[in-house]
């Protein structure tokens, strides 16, 4: 393991002004996104859509530090034969790869899941490194509900995250450690804070036991928000304060940066929350984004599978990327959204 190299990559991933584009939707997930814009999901349409994003050269070079790819995408070439990995590198951005194999029900724990994908991971990581990946992602999923999450679910998922992170570092690949507490439930914001704290404390204990070097990692957590079905809304300030409070209680300063997932927040909410946290400041890590839906909803809609819409889709993507880039600096303003609209 080359810790100096890992730290350099991790620092680059969380460069102020920039963040990560999560374009690693599995074939099933991207099909759902394409269904909602009336586009057939084929290897070619998936390629065309992702090529459009990665060729948004101005946005990519100014605001996107890295891109998380899916197994299919890291092997694909653009229409002109250039590999998609090369397009990302040419824009000065870092290619990464999702390596988990999704979730499966946890036996004897109804309603809970554990993320799979450790078998053969060492060999897959070596291959992905050869294909250009310099960082990886593994997502653990924790749901909040009646009687859940359980200790066993949190422990099993944290252990798997730590095993994954160790294998990544052995291969000189920076692990994005993603324990996502879902915002789907009917819980309030304080319950989200309590569970997120429990999860993060367990994750950092497991990372320690696995001898993972935190300087060569990036954390990708949820923000602390009320559950979608709670009918409650929290102010931007409350989300920012409660999220920072939990992170300060759990995440060692050796971690270079925290790149939030958007998790079903609206695009503008995700930006406003990140911006508010950076306006509070005074934290030992860089705070940035690793958004999927909150970066792609607008460009997907603008594109809708039509060639003649590519430029409009690229403009929509560039706008969201710029807004989130500003949020990493605490320099976003809501009127910038109105002007663009
Ligand atoms: P969202 O920002 O859409 O939650 O996706 C980020 C991600 O990579 C989830 O694993």
């Amino acid at each position: 393991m080359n810790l100096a190299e890992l730290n350099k990559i991790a620092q680059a991933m969380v460069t102020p002004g920039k963040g990560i584009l999560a374009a690693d939707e599995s074939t099933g997930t991207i099909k759902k996104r394409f269904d909602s814009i009336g586009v057939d999901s084929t290897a070619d349409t998936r390629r065309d859509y992702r090529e459009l994003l990665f060729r948004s050269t101005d946005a990519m070079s100014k605001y996107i530090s890295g891109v998380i790819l899916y197994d299919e995408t890291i092997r694909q070439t653009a229409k002109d034969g250039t590999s998609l990995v090369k397009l990302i590198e040419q824009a000065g951005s870092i290619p990464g790869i999702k390596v988990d194999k999704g979730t499966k029900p946890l036996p004897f724990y109804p309603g809970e899941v554990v993320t799979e994908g450790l078998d053969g991971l060492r060999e897959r990581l070596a291959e992905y490194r050869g294909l250009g990946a310099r960082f990886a992602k593994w997502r653990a999923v924790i749901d909040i509900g009646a009687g859940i999450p359980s200790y066993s679910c949190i422990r099993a998922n944290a252990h798997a995250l730590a095993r994954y992170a160790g294998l990544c570092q052995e291969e000189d690949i920076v692990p994005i450690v993603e324990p996502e507490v879902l915002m789907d439930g009917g819980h309030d914001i304080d319950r989200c804070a309590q569970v997120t704290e429990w999860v993060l404390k367990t994750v950092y204990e497991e990372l320690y036991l696995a001898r993972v070097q935190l300087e060569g990692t990036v954390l990708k957590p949820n923000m602390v928000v009320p559950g979608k079905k709670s009918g409650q809304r929290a102010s931007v300030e409350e989300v920012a304060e409660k999220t920072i409070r939990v992170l300060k209680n759990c995440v060692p300063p050796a971690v270079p940066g925290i790149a939030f997932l958007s998790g079903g927040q609206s695009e503008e909410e995700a930006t406003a929350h990140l911006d508010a946290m950076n306006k509070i400041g005074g934290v030992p890590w860089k705070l940035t984004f690793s958004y999927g839906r909150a970066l792609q909803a607008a460009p997907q809609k603008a594109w809708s599978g039509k060639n003649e819409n590519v430029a409009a889709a690229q403009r929509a993507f560039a706008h969201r990327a710029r807004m989130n880039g500003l949020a990493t600096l605490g320099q976003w303003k809501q009127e910038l959204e109105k002007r663009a609209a």
Side-chain angles (χ1 to χ4, degrees):
M1 181 188 63
N2 181 344
L3 185 55
E5 179 62 23
L6 286 169
N7 180 250
K8 207 170 111 190
I9 298 164
Q11 295 283 359
M13 289 162 67
V14 298
T15 305
K18 295 188 181 189
I20 297 165
L21 165 63
D24 60 324
E25 298 86 357
S26 64
T27 309
T29 302
I30 195 78
K31 182 179 182 309
K32 270 190 247 160
R33 307 277 185 264
F34 278 17
D35 283 349
S36 74
I37 51 169
V39 175
D40 258 1
S41 184
T42 67
D44 281 350
T45 57
R46 294 192 287 271
R47 188 273 316 274
D48 289 348
Y49 167 65
R50 286 164 171 153
E51 178 175 350
L52 157 182
L53 295 178
F54 309 156
R55 281 197 194 276
S56 305
T57 315
D58 193 53
M60 288 285 296
S61 58
K62 285 189 187 145
Y63 311 117
I64 303 297
S65 59
V67 180
I68 317 176
L69 300 168
Y70 185 61
D71 181 75
E72 175 185 76
T73 323
I74 200 171
R75 303 169 194 282
Q76 276 178 323
T77 53
K79 276 217 181 88
D80 69 0
T82 315
S83 77
L84 294 186
V85 165
K86 191 92 208 157
L87 289 185
I88 294 166
E89 289 170 348
Q90 281 170 351
S93 190
I94 309 168
I97 181 78
K98 167 198 179 79
V99 301
D100 68 68
K101 296 209 160 177
T103 60
K104 288 278 157 58
L106 185 64
F108 309 121
Y109 286 86
E112 297 194 287
V113 294
V114 64
T115 301
E116 297 198 335
L118 289 170
D119 286 2
L121 182 55
R122 175 178 276 131
E123 291 74 23
R124 288 197 291 131
L125 286 166
E127 191 202 359
Y128 285 140
R129 186 163 222 292
L131 291 168
R134 293 295 171 264
F135 68 90
K137 179 192 109 170
W138 176 290
R139 173 173 173 259
V141 180
I142 308 292
D143 207 354
I144 300 180
I148 64 169
S150 66
Y151 171 87
S152 299
C153 172
I154 293 174
R155 186 57 70 180
N157 276 291
H159 184 77
L161 271 170
R163 292 261 328 267
Y164 141 82
L167 285 162
C168 286
Q169 291 198 329
E170 181 191 67
E171 192 55 41
D172 288 329
I173 289 178
V174 171
I176 294 185
V177 174
E178 179 179 3
E180 175 173 7
V181 177
L182 295 177
M183 58 183 282
D184 297 340
H187 52 277
D188 65 12
I189 190 171
D190 291 319
R191 176 78 176 133
C192 178
Q194 185 186 45
V195 171
T196 303
E197 182 166 353
W198 183 14
V199 168
L200 290 176
K201 290 221 181 270
T202 310
V203 165
Y204 281 98
E205 183 189 1
E206 290 286 350
L207 289 172
Y208 169 69
L209 292 171
R211 302 188 174 169
V212 170
Q213 304 297 305
L214 297 183
E215 294 88 343
T217 66
V218 170
L219 176 69
K220 176 164 174 169
N222 53 284
M223 296 180 196
V224 173
V225 292
K228 275 206 158 151
K229 293 186 203 120
S230 68
Q232 296 173 9
R233 300 207 34 100
S235 68
V236 169
E237 291 69 31
E238 185 180 8
V239 170
E241 278 161 23
K242 290 190 167 165
T243 303
I244 285 196
R245 178 159 189 272
V246 166
L247 293 171
K248 274 187 171 174
N249 272 292
C250 302
V251 185
V255 173
I258 297 175
F260 293 98
L261 58 92
S262 60
Q265 298 179 41
S266 77
E267 294 160 281
E268 210 174 300
E269 269 172 353
T271 303
H273 289 153
L274 177 63
D275 179 69
M277 285 189 260
N278 279 305
K279 283 192 164 90
I280 295 172
V283 293
W285 343 266
K286 304 290 187 310
L287 296 179
T288 185
F289 57 90
S290 175
Y291 293 162
R293 283 162 285 181
L295 271 172
Q296 294 188 63
Q300 273 165 10
K301 204 160 153 233
W303 175 59
S304 291
K306 299 199 176 72
N307 264 336
E308 62 265 32
N309 294 339
V310 164
Q314 289 179 324
R315 278 196 301 277
F317 173 56
H319 173 68
R320 252 349 316 134
R322 180 167 155 259
M323 293 300 102
N324 286 307
L326 288 169
T328 69
L329 305 169
Q331 292 173 5
W332 173 79
K333 291 187 199 74
Q334 211 201 350
E335 64 240 41
L336 295 170
E337 303 280 355
K338 287 197 207 102
R339 238 181 283 159

